[in-house]
Every structure is written in structure tokens, then in C-alpha cells.
Amino acid sequence: MTERLERALREWKEASKGNVGGMVFGEYRYREPFERARNSAGLGKDVVFHTLRHTYITRLVSAGVDIRTVQELAGHKTIAMTMRYAHLAPANKRRAVSLLDAEVTANLTTVDFRQTAEQAVNSL
């Protein structure tokens, strides 16, 4: 749980004075309060309560959290299940390759292949 969410829940608890049975969306009746919150946020009807779980896991992976830690935070028994939730955007994949490229090329010198090719031809 993020610190921001923890603060929000503590504020909610204080403001609600326990009027909803200790649950954020009410006891097993989360649909209507969730839909009101979703609509207030301007989100489409395709956003369902379970979407929050997918978003949470995807954002952890996108932030660079290792998959094993994400698995534990999500409470999944297998990494395969975690991977079903971790929707990587193409930009994340490009960033990962760029990180590898930066790491590898930082310690390399460049080779002028044209000069090397000329040397090979001249040595014949």
C-alpha cells in the first residue's frame, strides 16, 4: 500500500466514524460506490473494480519492480499468473532495451567498420 493511499484511508476512517462497517465500499456492496467513484473520476464503463488490480501490477512492472516482488505484492502463487496481469507497453520494452544498450556500450569503444573493411581488403 502506498503512503498516499494509507493517508487517504486513515482520513476516510476518521471522517466516516465507522458508519460503513469498516469497509471502504461497504460490506460486500461495492458496486454502486465504485461506480460513483469511477464516474466522478471520468473513467469509462469498461473500467471495473478488477481493473484496479491490473493497473497496480502493470504500474509496478513499468516502474522497474522485479517480477518476483510484484508476485509477492499481488499475492500470486505463480509468476505465470503475475505475467497475465503485467501489461507491458511497447515504450516499456524499448526503455528496457535502451537500459541494456547504455550499460553495455558504456564500457565499449566504437569500431569504424569502414576502416576495418578497407584494412581487410588491403591485406589481401
CSV table of all heavy atoms in Angstrom, one decimal, residues 50-51 53-59 61 67 70-71 74 76-88:
chain,number,residue,atom,x,y,z
A,50,HIS,N,-12.0,-4.8,-10.9
A,50,HIS,CA,-10.8,-5.7,-11.1
A,50,HIS,C,-9.7,-5.0,-11.9
A,50,HIS,O,-8.5,-5.3,-11.9
A,50,HIS,CB,-11.2,-7.0,-11.7
A,50,HIS,CG,-10.2,-8.1,-11.6
A,50,HIS,ND1,-9.9,-8.7,-10.4
A,50,HIS,CD2,-9.3,-8.6,-12.5
A,50,HIS,CE1,-9.0,-9.6,-10.6
A,50,HIS,NE2,-8.6,-9.6,-11.9
A,51,THR,N,-10.1,-3.9,-12.7
A,51,THR,CA,-9.2,-3.2,-13.5
A,51,THR,C,-8.1,-2.6,-12.6
A,51,THR,O,-7.0,-2.4,-13.0
A,51,THR,CB,-9.9,-2.1,-14.2
A,51,THR,OG1,-10.9,-2.6,-15.0
A,51,THR,CG2,-9.0,-1.3,-15.1
A,53,ARG,N,-6.6,-3.9,-10.0
A,53,ARG,CA,-5.6,-4.9,-9.8
A,53,ARG,C,-4.6,-4.9,-11.0
A,53,ARG,O,-3.4,-5.0,-10.8
A,53,ARG,CB,-6.2,-6.2,-9.5
A,53,ARG,CG,-5.3,-7.3,-9.1
A,53,ARG,CD,-6.1,-8.5,-8.5
A,53,ARG,NE,-5.2,-9.6,-8.2
A,53,ARG,CZ,-4.5,-9.7,-7.1
A,53,ARG,NH1,-4.5,-8.7,-6.2
A,53,ARG,NH2,-3.8,-10.8,-6.9
A,54,HIS,N,-5.2,-5.0,-12.2
A,54,HIS,CA,-4.3,-5.0,-13.4
A,54,HIS,C,-3.5,-3.7,-13.4
A,54,HIS,O,-2.3,-3.8,-13.7
A,54,HIS,CB,-5.2,-5.1,-14.6
A,54,HIS,CG,-5.7,-6.4,-14.9
A,54,HIS,ND1,-5.0,-7.3,-15.7
A,54,HIS,CD2,-6.8,-7.1,-14.5
A,54,HIS,CE1,-5.7,-8.5,-15.8
A,54,HIS,NE2,-6.8,-8.3,-15.0
A,55,THR,N,-4.1,-2.6,-13.2
A,55,THR,CA,-3.3,-1.3,-13.2
A,55,THR,C,-2.2,-1.3,-12.2
A,55,THR,O,-1.1,-0.9,-12.5
A,55,THR,CB,-4.3,-0.1,-13.0
A,55,THR,OG1,-5.3,-0.2,-14.0
A,55,THR,CG2,-3.6,1.2,-13.0
A,56,TYR,N,-2.5,-1.7,-11.0
A,56,TYR,CA,-1.5,-1.8,-9.9
A,56,TYR,C,-0.3,-2.6,-10.3
A,56,TYR,O,0.9,-2.2,-10.2
A,56,TYR,CB,-2.2,-2.4,-8.6
A,56,TYR,CG,-1.3,-2.7,-7.5
A,56,TYR,CD1,-0.6,-1.8,-6.8
A,56,TYR,CD2,-1.0,-4.1,-7.2
A,56,TYR,CE1,0.2,-2.1,-5.7
A,56,TYR,CE2,-0.2,-4.4,-6.1
A,56,TYR,CZ,0.4,-3.4,-5.4
A,56,TYR,OH,1.2,-3.7,-4.3
A,57,ILE,N,-0.5,-3.8,-10.8
A,57,ILE,CA,0.5,-4.7,-11.2
A,57,ILE,C,1.3,-4.2,-12.4
A,57,ILE,O,2.5,-4.2,-12.4
A,57,ILE,CB,0.0,-6.1,-11.4
A,57,ILE,CG1,-0.5,-6.7,-10.1
A,57,ILE,CG2,1.0,-7.1,-12.1
A,57,ILE,CD1,-1.4,-8.0,-10.2
A,58,THR,N,0.6,-3.7,-13.4
A,58,THR,CA,1.3,-3.1,-14.6
A,58,THR,C,2.2,-2.0,-14.2
A,58,THR,O,3.3,-1.8,-14.7
A,58,THR,CB,0.2,-2.7,-15.6
A,58,THR,OG1,-0.5,-3.8,-16.0
A,58,THR,CG2,0.9,-2.1,-16.8
A,59,ARG,N,1.7,-1.1,-13.3
A,59,ARG,CA,2.5,0.1,-12.9
A,59,ARG,C,3.7,-0.3,-12.1
A,59,ARG,O,4.8,0.3,-12.2
A,59,ARG,CB,1.6,1.1,-12.2
A,59,ARG,CG,0.7,1.8,-13.1
A,59,ARG,CD,-0.1,2.9,-12.4
A,59,ARG,NE,-1.0,3.5,-13.4
A,59,ARG,CZ,-1.8,4.5,-13.0
A,59,ARG,NH1,-1.8,5.0,-11.8
A,59,ARG,NH2,-2.5,5.1,-14.0
A,61,VAL,N,5.4,-3.1,-12.5
A,61,VAL,CA,6.4,-3.7,-13.5
A,61,VAL,C,7.0,-2.5,-14.3
A,61,VAL,O,8.2,-2.5,-14.6
A,61,VAL,CB,5.7,-4.7,-14.4
A,61,VAL,CG1,6.6,-5.1,-15.6
A,61,VAL,CG2,5.3,-5.9,-13.6
A,67,ILE,N,9.9,-8.9,-11.0
A,67,ILE,CA,8.7,-9.7,-11.2
A,67,ILE,C,8.4,-10.5,-9.9
A,67,ILE,O,7.2,-10.7,-9.6
A,67,ILE,CB,8.7,-10.5,-12.5
A,67,ILE,CG1,7.3,-11.0,-12.8
A,67,ILE,CG2,9.6,-11.7,-12.4
A,67,ILE,CD1,6.4,-9.8,-13.3
A,70,VAL,N,6.8,-8.2,-7.4
A,70,VAL,CA,5.4,-8.0,-7.9
A,70,VAL,C,4.5,-9.2,-7.6
A,70,VAL,O,3.4,-9.0,-7.1
A,70,VAL,CB,5.4,-7.6,-9.4
A,70,VAL,CG1,3.9,-7.5,-9.9
A,70,VAL,CG2,6.2,-6.3,-9.7
A,71,GLN,N,5.0,-10.3,-7.8
A,71,GLN,CA,4.3,-11.6,-7.5
A,71,GLN,C,3.9,-11.6,-6.0
A,71,GLN,O,2.7,-11.9,-5.7
A,71,GLN,CB,5.1,-12.8,-7.8
A,71,GLN,CG,4.4,-14.1,-7.4
A,71,GLN,CD,5.4,-15.3,-7.5
A,71,GLN,OE1,6.5,-15.2,-7.9
A,71,GLN,NE2,4.9,-16.5,-7.1
A,74,ALA,N,1.3,-8.9,-5.2
A,74,ALA,CA,-0.1,-9.3,-5.7
A,74,ALA,C,-0.7,-10.5,-5.0
A,74,ALA,O,-1.9,-10.7,-5.1
A,74,ALA,CB,0.1,-9.6,-7.2
A,76,HIS,N,0.1,-13.6,-5.7
A,76,HIS,CA,0.0,-14.7,-6.7
A,76,HIS,C,0.9,-15.9,-6.3
A,76,HIS,O,2.0,-15.7,-5.8
A,76,HIS,CB,0.4,-14.2,-8.1
A,76,HIS,CG,-0.5,-13.2,-8.7
A,76,HIS,ND1,-0.1,-12.3,-9.6
A,76,HIS,CD2,-1.9,-13.1,-8.6
A,76,HIS,CE1,-1.1,-11.5,-9.9
A,76,HIS,NE2,-2.2,-12.0,-9.3
A,77,LYS,N,0.4,-17.1,-6.6
A,77,LYS,CA,1.2,-18.3,-6.3
A,77,LYS,C,2.3,-18.5,-7.3
A,77,LYS,O,3.3,-19.1,-7.0
A,77,LYS,CB,0.3,-19.5,-6.2
A,77,LYS,CG,-0.6,-19.5,-4.9
A,77,LYS,CD,-1.5,-20.7,-4.9
A,77,LYS,CE,-2.3,-20.6,-3.6
A,77,LYS,NZ,-3.3,-21.7,-3.5
A,78,THR,N,2.0,-18.1,-8.5
A,78,THR,CA,3.0,-18.3,-9.6
A,78,THR,C,3.3,-17.0,-10.4
A,78,THR,O,2.5,-16.1,-10.4
A,78,THR,CB,2.5,-19.3,-10.7
A,78,THR,OG1,1.3,-18.7,-11.3
A,78,THR,CG2,2.0,-20.6,-10.0
A,79,ILE,N,4.5,-16.9,-10.9
A,79,ILE,CA,4.9,-15.8,-11.7
A,79,ILE,C,4.1,-15.8,-13.0
A,79,ILE,O,3.8,-14.7,-13.5
A,79,ILE,CB,6.4,-15.8,-12.0
A,79,ILE,CG1,7.1,-15.4,-10.7
A,79,ILE,CG2,6.8,-14.9,-13.1
A,79,ILE,CD1,8.6,-15.5,-10.8
A,80,ALA,N,3.7,-17.0,-13.5
A,80,ALA,CA,2.8,-17.0,-14.7
A,80,ALA,C,1.5,-16.2,-14.5
A,80,ALA,O,1.1,-15.5,-15.4
A,80,ALA,CB,2.5,-18.5,-15.0
A,81,MET,N,1.0,-16.3,-13.3
A,81,MET,CA,-0.3,-15.5,-13.0
A,81,MET,C,0.1,-14.0,-13.0
A,81,MET,O,-0.7,-13.2,-13.6
A,81,MET,CB,-0.9,-16.0,-11.7
A,81,MET,CG,-2.1,-15.2,-11.3
A,81,MET,SD,-3.4,-15.3,-12.6
A,81,MET,CE,-4.1,-16.9,-12.3
A,82,THR,N,1.2,-13.7,-12.4
A,82,THR,CA,1.6,-12.3,-12.4
A,82,THR,C,1.7,-11.7,-13.8
A,82,THR,O,1.3,-10.6,-14.1
A,82,THR,CB,2.9,-12.1,-11.6
A,82,THR,OG1,2.7,-12.7,-10.3
A,82,THR,CG2,3.2,-10.6,-11.4
A,83,MET,N,2.3,-12.5,-14.7
A,83,MET,CA,2.6,-12.1,-16.0
A,83,MET,C,1.3,-11.9,-16.8
A,83,MET,O,1.2,-11.0,-17.7
A,83,MET,CB,3.4,-13.1,-16.8
A,83,MET,CG,4.9,-13.2,-16.2
A,83,MET,SD,5.7,-11.6,-16.2
A,83,MET,CE,5.8,-11.2,-17.9
A,84,ARG,N,0.2,-12.5,-16.4
A,84,ARG,CA,-1.1,-12.3,-17.1
A,84,ARG,C,-1.6,-10.9,-16.7
A,84,ARG,O,-2.4,-10.3,-17.5
A,84,ARG,CB,-2.1,-13.3,-16.6
A,84,ARG,CG,-1.9,-14.7,-17.1
A,84,ARG,CD,-3.0,-15.7,-16.6
A,84,ARG,NE,-2.6,-17.0,-16.9
A,84,ARG,CZ,-3.1,-18.1,-16.4
A,84,ARG,NH1,-4.0,-17.9,-15.4
A,84,ARG,NH2,-2.7,-19.3,-16.7
A,85,TYR,N,-1.2,-10.4,-15.6
A,85,TYR,CA,-1.7,-9.1,-15.2
A,85,TYR,C,-0.7,-8.0,-15.6
A,85,TYR,O,-1.1,-6.8,-15.7
A,85,TYR,CB,-1.7,-9.0,-13.6
A,85,TYR,CG,-2.9,-9.7,-13.0
A,85,TYR,CD1,-3.0,-11.0,-12.9
A,85,TYR,CD2,-4.0,-8.9,-12.6
A,85,TYR,CE1,-4.1,-11.6,-12.3
A,85,TYR,CE2,-5.1,-9.5,-12.1
A,85,TYR,CZ,-5.2,-10.8,-11.9
A,85,TYR,OH,-6.3,-11.4,-11.4
A,86,ALA,N,0.5,-8.3,-15.9
A,86,ALA,CA,1.5,-7.2,-16.2
A,86,ALA,C,1.5,-6.9,-17.7
A,86,ALA,O,2.1,-7.6,-18.5
A,86,ALA,CB,2.9,-7.8,-15.8
A,87,HIS,N,0.8,-5.9,-18.0
A,87,HIS,CA,0.6,-5.5,-19.4
A,87,HIS,C,1.7,-4.5,-19.8
A,87,HIS,O,1.6,-3.3,-19.4
A,87,HIS,CB,-0.8,-4.9,-19.7
A,87,HIS,CG,-1.9,-5.8,-19.2
A,87,HIS,ND1,-2.2,-6.9,-19.9
A,87,HIS,CD2,-2.7,-5.8,-18.1
A,87,HIS,CE1,-3.2,-7.5,-19.3
A,87,HIS,NE2,-3.5,-6.9,-18.2
A,88,LEU,N,2.7,-4.9,-20.5
A,88,LEU,CA,3.8,-4.0,-20.8
A,88,LEU,C,3.5,-3.3,-22.1
A,88,LEU,O,3.2,-3.9,-23.1
A,88,LEU,CB,5.1,-4.8,-21.0
A,88,LEU,CG,5.7,-5.3,-19.7
A,88,LEU,CD1,7.0,-6.1,-19.9
A,88,LEU,CD2,6.0,-4.2,-18.7
